[in-house]
Amino acid sequence: MADEDAFLDFADFLKVDIRAGRIVEAEPYPEARKPSIKMLIDFGPEFGIRRSSAQIASRYSPDSLRGKLVVAVVNFPPRQIGKFMSEVLVLGVPDEDGNVVLLSPDADVPPGVRMF
């Protein structure tokens, strides 16, 4: 069983705003330290298009990402990644080789819907 100090209050969890978005544009980001891709992601009318960079070039090509649904944290402050300002954190998990596998809904959902 996990240490009680490791538990999170549900109210704290609700502060993290995780939403589905559709990648509308993707391109290589060769200036990044590790192989990365820059993305424009549509989060619907409430959030609009947001920018993100992710170290996913070992598993994904820009062409394979366009139109893909992903989930991302939309309420972290923007973060400078080299010369690129990343506005959302796209979520993923490592495969057995440590490469990022993007988290994605398994059915079509509207851009901007919140995870619960």
Side-chain angles (χ1 to χ4, degrees), residues 91-105:
L91 301 177
V93 295
D95 66 13
E96 59 190 26
D97 296 322
N99 298 311
V100 176
V101 177
L102 295 173
L103 298 181
S104 181

Side-chain angles (χ1 to χ4, degrees), residues 64-94:
S64 72
L65 291 170
R66 289 184 194 100
K68 182 173 182 59
L69 281 170
V70 293
V71 292
V73 177
V74 298
N75 66 335
F76 283 153
R79 183 173 177 199
Q80 191 76 39
I81 310 291
K83 295 180 180 181
F84 184 78
M85 184 62 74
S86 187
E87 300 171 311
V88 299
L89 175 64
V90 176
L91 301 177
V93 295

